[in-house]
Amino acid sequence: QVQLVESGGGLVQPGGSLRLSCAASGNIVSIGDMNWHRQAPGKQRELAAGITAGGSTVYTDSVKGRFTISRDYAKNTVYLQMNSLKPEDTAVYYCNADVNYRDYSRSPFLLRKVAWGQGTQVTVSS
C-alpha cells in the first residue's frame, strides 16, 4: 500500500512562515503530480499549489508570490513553503499524489492510485 504523511503545521502569527512536508512511502515505482489542497472551516477544499513530475508548478491566485511548492524526487517528498501568512490561510492542508506502485498480492501487480494524506492544521492568528 501507499501512504502519505504530512508534517509541519501549527500556529503562527500573521506575517510568519511555515514549511509543510509530505512524504510518500510504500512499494513506489514512480510519482506523477503532487499537490497541496486546503480546506478552511465552512468552505470547500481547494487546490493551493501543485507540481508535476517535470517540475512545473501551479498556484491558486491567493497564494501566488507567498507560497512555494517543491519536491525531492529521491525522498518521494513534496514541500510547501508558506511565507507572509495571513489569517485567511488558516485551514487543514492535505497533500495528494498520483502514485504508481507494486502490490504483489494483486494481479496485475503494477497499480496506480491517487493517494491522500491525513491533513495538517495551519492556524494563522495573533
Side-chain angles (χ1 to χ4, degrees):
Q1 287 294 335
V2 174
Q3 280 191 318
L4 299 184
V5 178
E6 297 119 335
S7 61
L11 173 64
V12 64
Q13 292 186 342
S17 298
L18 281 175
R19 188 190 194 213
L20 305 183
S21 300
C22 172
S25 63
N27 203 348
I28 295 170
V29 175
S30 63
I31 301 178
D33 295 352
M34 302 185 83
N35 306 297
W36 285 98
H37 298 253
R38 64 184 184 180
Q39 187 165 18
K43 295 188 177 181
Q44 288 190 331
R45 190 175 297 188
E46 66 168 355
L47 175 67
I51 185 166
T52 68
S56 297
T57 58
V58 63
Y59 299 93
T60 192
D61 286 346
S62 61
V63 309
K64 285 180 181 177
R66 301 187 298 120
F67 290 11
T68 302
I69 189 170
S70 61
R71 63 194 287 175
D72 184 324
Y73 294 88
K75 295 181 179 179
N76 290 330
T77 299
V78 63
Y79 304 96
L80 187 66
Q81 177 67 44
M82 304 185 294
N83 299 326
S84 303
L85 282 161
K86 305 175 180 180
E88 50 263 44
D89 295 317
T90 295
V92 179
Y93 284 71
Y94 300 90
C95 68
N96 80 339
D98 187 359
V99 183
N100 294 300
Y101 67 102
R102 296 185 185 94
D103 183 348
Y104 291 110
S105 70
R106 305 274 297 275
S107 179
F109 60 82
L110 187 58
L111 302 169
R112 179 183 179 184
K113 70 179 290 184
V114 176
W116 286 84
Q118 80 286 356
T120 185
Q121 177 70 46
V122 172
T123 302
V124 185
S125 175
S126 55

